[in-house]
């Protein structure tokens, strides 16, 4: 039993047999797989060489020739403690696993790194030199990690959201309140615009995540459906449509000048597509750039409008607007979260996406 009582993975103790195995007195030397004897290998260890890696024919892939960070950290721990068992405890692995990792590193580098004696484990001359190099690599890795953490911290300190009007006004406030509870230190900026503008901002790296209302995911973006919506034909109570008994037919809706959102908006895209087989939309009565403006014009009696049910729920409940049934045309749509193709949201944007999908809206 060794002075420090460390147990080898092969059942011997620290201070007994060197890592590579020196034959006991009187036992014939055994051939090693490489054709040499164990005694010759022990001599190699004293010389600081070890069969394995070779200078000639080294390939260009550095990761095949350089030990990983975990192995280098273990070697540094052996240097600090002078004990493989203590080093194993520091890095959180078993002593047999530590012995195996040291042997694997020796084979990879082609030199002996650690010798054992009754006083514990000590570095060979080559091991001391490799340890010095390993220390520099680990310090560089720590600096790399600190820099990466700083980048994540900067990313996580802000969230830029671009959203089409209906989502920005009627859905995002609730989602952002929930995000605030999870990430109180993240500053959120919201840019509202139509679906085409949202796509432009994402592709121009002016937003981290977007929300659109159109028929499909805009070109250059990936997306996922987060909610569903329907468009409603609405009018002031004084308009003749408010008193009609039967539903509107698609051709009648298409032929009537309406108060509409501008081209490029998700609402306009859905309406254009729905009525394209029925002669297309008549020239708009008014063409306005926001949902709020369209709704105000309809309430004032300017003319019928087509808006999201989310946007007119309050006005319908108070009878400031009346919904007009429409037959034979599909006015439903999907609401999507979108991001540049191949760049799925991370950090606060990923968390916001998770919140939208956890809070269905119809």
């Amino acid at each position: 039993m060794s002075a420090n009582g460390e147990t080898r993975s092969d059942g011997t103790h620290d201070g007994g047999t060197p890592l590579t195995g020196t034959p006991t007195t009187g036992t014939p030397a055994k051939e090693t797989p490489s054709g040499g004897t164990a005694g010759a290998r022990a001599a190699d260890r004293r010389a600081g060489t070890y069969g394995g890696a070779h200078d000639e024919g080294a390939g260009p892939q550095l990761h095949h020739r350089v030990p990983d960070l975990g192995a280098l950290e273990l070697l540094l721990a052996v240097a600090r403690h002078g004990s493989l068992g203590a080093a194993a405890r520091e890095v959180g692995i078993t002593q047999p696993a530590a012995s195996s990792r040291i042997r694997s590193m020796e084979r990879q580098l082609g030199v002996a790194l650690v010798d054992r004696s009754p006083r514990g484990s000590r570095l060979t001359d080559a091991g001391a030199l490799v340890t010095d190099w390993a220390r520099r690599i680990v310090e560089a890795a720590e600096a790399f990690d600190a820099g990466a953490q700083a980048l994540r911290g900067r990313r996580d300190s802000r969230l830029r959201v671009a959203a089409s009007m209906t989502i920005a006004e009627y859905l995002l406030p609730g989602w952002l309140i929930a995000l605030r509870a999870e990430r109180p230190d993240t500053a959120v900026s919201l840019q509202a615009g139509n679906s085409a503008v949202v796509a432009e901002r994402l592709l121009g790296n002016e937003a981290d995540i977007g929300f659109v209302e159109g028929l499909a995911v805009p070109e250059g973006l990936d997306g996922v459906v987060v909610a569903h919506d329907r468009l409603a034909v609405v009018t002031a109570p004084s308009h003749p449509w408010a008193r009609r008994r039967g539903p509107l037919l698609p051709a009648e809706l298409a032929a009537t000048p309406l108060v509409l959102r501008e081209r490029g908006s998700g609402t306009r895209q859905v309406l254009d597509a729905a009525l394209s087989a029925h002669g297309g939309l008549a020239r708009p009565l008014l063409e306005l750039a926001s949902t709020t403006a369209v709704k105000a014009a309809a309430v004032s009696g300017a003319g019928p409008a087509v808006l999201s049910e989310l946007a007119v729920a309050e006005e319908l409940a108070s009878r400031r607007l009346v919904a007009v049934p429409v037959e034979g045309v599909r006015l439903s749509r999907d609401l999507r979260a979108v991001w540049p193709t191949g760049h799925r949201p991370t950090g606060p944007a990923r968390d916001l996406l998770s919140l939208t999908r956890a809070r269905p809206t119809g």
Side-chain angles (χ1 to χ4, degrees), residues 315-331:
E315 285 74 19
L316 291 175
S318 65
R319 295 289 298 173
R320 286 184 292 160
L321 288 175
V322 176
V324 183
V326 182
E327 189 176 81
V329 65
R330 183 176 181 271
L331 294 178

Side-chain angles (χ1 to χ4, degrees), residues 21 31 118 208 269:
E31 288 289 330
D208 303 308
Q269 290 175 17

Side-chain angles (χ1 to χ4, degrees), residues 17-343:
T17 308
L19 283 176
T20 55
T22 302
T24 55
T25 303
T27 303
K30 295 181 179 180
E31 288 289 330
T32 64
S34 60
T37 66
R41 292 178 66 189
D44 286 344
R45 294 182 66 79
R46 290 191 292 274
T49 61
Y50 190 72
H54 301 277
D55 292 335
E56 59 271 21
Q61 295 180 318
L62 194 61
H63 68 278
H64 288 312
R65 307 195 310 275
V66 177
D68 61 48
L69 281 175
L72 298 179
E73 288 176 319
L74 174 62
L75 184 63
L76 292 175
V78 171
R80 282 193 297 273
H81 296 288
S83 163
L84 190 58
R89 287 190 293 273
E90 179 181 316
V91 301
I93 60 176
T94 64
Q95 184 173 328
S99 296
S100 176
R101 181 167 283 191
I102 291 291
R103 287 196 298 272
S104 176
M105 187 163 34
E106 288 177 324
R107 287 192 298 271
Q108 185 178 25
L109 295 177
V111 295
L113 301 174
V114 178
D115 270 334
R116 292 186 175 217
S117 73
R119 294 179 298 278
S121 301
R122 69 173 185 84
L123 300 176
T124 65
D125 290 343
L129 185 58
V130 170
T131 298
D132 185 48
W133 296 336
R135 186 174 293 108
R136 299 179 205 174
I137 293 171
V138 170
E139 288 173 353
E142 289 171 344
F144 181 93
D145 180 56
Q149 288 187 40
L151 288 176
R152 289 193 297 270
R154 186 170 67 180
R155 177 203 68 189
D156 293 352
S157 68
R158 68 170 187 176
L159 174 61
R160 302 169 300 166
V161 181
S164 54
M165 293 295 188
T166 301
I167 298 174
E169 292 183 48
Y170 301 100
L171 293 178
L172 262 172
W175 295 340
L176 293 179
I177 289 171
L179 180 67
R180 176 82 175 172
E182 293 191 3
R183 287 182 172 269
D185 297 328
T186 298
V188 179
S189 63
L190 172 59
Q191 307 169 71
N194 64 40
S195 295
V197 169
V198 170
E200 289 174 6
R201 286 175 174 161
L202 285 167
L203 294 173
N205 195 30
E206 298 174 18
D208 303 308
I209 190 169
F211 296 91
V212 297
E213 308 164 7
L215 291 169
V217 177
E219 186 177 355
L221 303 180
D222 288 336
V224 63
V225 174
V226 297
H228 305 281
D229 186 29
R230 280 187 54 82
L231 299 182
V233 178
V234 296
T235 189
S238 59
H239 192 276
W241 281 3
R243 298 184 295 275
R244 64 181 294 146
R245 296 183 180 276
L248 283 171
L249 297 178
E252 186 178 3
L253 180 62
T256 302
L258 303 170
V259 181
L260 297 175
R261 285 286 309 279
E262 80 286 6
R263 290 188 180 277
S265 70
T267 301
R268 184 70 172 267
Q269 290 175 17
V270 172
L271 192 59
D272 280 336
L275 297 179
S276 61
H278 304 280
L281 282 168
R283 182 175 179 179
L285 182 64
L286 291 171
E287 193 172 73
L288 304 172
S290 76
T291 299
T292 301
V294 173
K295 185 164 56 174
V299 169
S300 70
V306 180
L307 289 166
S308 164
E309 288 183 346
L310 293 169
V312 296
E314 184 179 333
E315 285 74 19
L316 291 175
S318 65
R319 295 289 298 173
R320 286 184 292 160
L321 288 175
V322 176
V324 183
V326 182
E327 189 176 81
V329 65
R330 183 176 181 271
L331 294 178
S332 59
R333 60 181 178 174
D334 295 327
L335 308 181
R336 294 179 174 85
V338 290
W339 54 87
T341 298
H343 298 277

